[in-house]
Amino acid sequence: MTTKASPAPPSGLMLACGALARELMAIRDMNGWRHLDLHCLPADLHLRPEKIPDAVEAAVRRFQHKYDRIIVVYADCGTGGLLQARCADLGVEMIPGPHCYAFFDGIAAHAARAEQEFTSFYLTDFLVRQFDAFVWRAMGLDRHPQLRDMYFEHYERLIYLAQTDDPELDERARAAAARLGLAYERRLTGYGDLPDILAQLSSSASQ
């Protein structure tokens, strides 16, 4: 007697920012969500947020015939609502939130602290590792260090939202704060809201 194989769950694609790649893969693999693939757009799009909606649209059109469902794992990320509008036009889902920092910090908690932390500059594990490329050189501070006082005039603290308990990254984040002339705070967030968000997406993608 042969048993009938269970149908494979519908395929889903997480279309995400490259700055979240390491964490998204870890969460997906930890939970065995093999029906969710991951495609990341270049993390340096954050340096030109006006380009994010077009880049997301191009990727959606590239992959929309290969997957049953596409989920855009971006926050607004400085697009001023344009990314959300574009996703609505394309008929794809997008995770709500102001910035990927909020995913890690907890979207509700991040919003509640917004008024107290508006003079804070945030780093994640990714940005600590890529500080020179995405902050120091991207802002021209390697060539014009005097710009630091202008860019960070109204900042008081650098808050490292740590996904991992890594002493080396902690030391690098502390050094980054010193280079920017800011007080230092480390907040161990782990993956924040991302596991719950992905669990909901994975569950509905399997239905």
Side-chain angles (χ1 to χ4, degrees), residues 103-172:
F103 295 157
F104 295 128
D105 204 17
I107 293 172
H110 193 79
R113 285 193 288 258
E115 288 190 10
Q116 289 75 36
E117 295 187 356
F118 70 93
T119 59
S120 297
F121 184 74
Y122 297 98
L123 294 182
T124 63
D125 281 11
F126 174 86
L127 287 172
V128 171
R129 293 187 182 98
Q130 303 294 333
F131 180 79
D132 281 343
F134 279 80
V135 179
W136 199 255
R137 291 199 299 272
M139 299 181 78
L141 296 173
D142 58 326
R143 303 179 302 279
H144 306 288
Q146 70 276 10
L147 292 175
R148 181 189 65 178
D149 294 339
M150 181 178 73
Y151 290 152
F152 293 93
E153 178 182 4
H154 301 295
Y155 286 92
E156 297 175 355
R157 281 186 299 171
L158 183 151
I159 300 178
Y160 169 32
L161 304 174
Q163 284 69 74
T164 54
D165 193 6
D166 186 328
E168 181 184 352
L169 289 181
D170 180 29
E171 199 57 39
R172 290 169 67 175

Side-chain angles (χ1 to χ4, degrees), residues 16 43 51 57 80 136 176 184 207:
K51 294 186 175 184
E57 178 173 354
W136 199 255
Y184 179 65
Q207 294 175 358

Side-chain angles (χ1 to χ4, degrees), residues 2-10 206:
T2 59
T3 57
K4 188 175 180 180
S6 300
S206 299

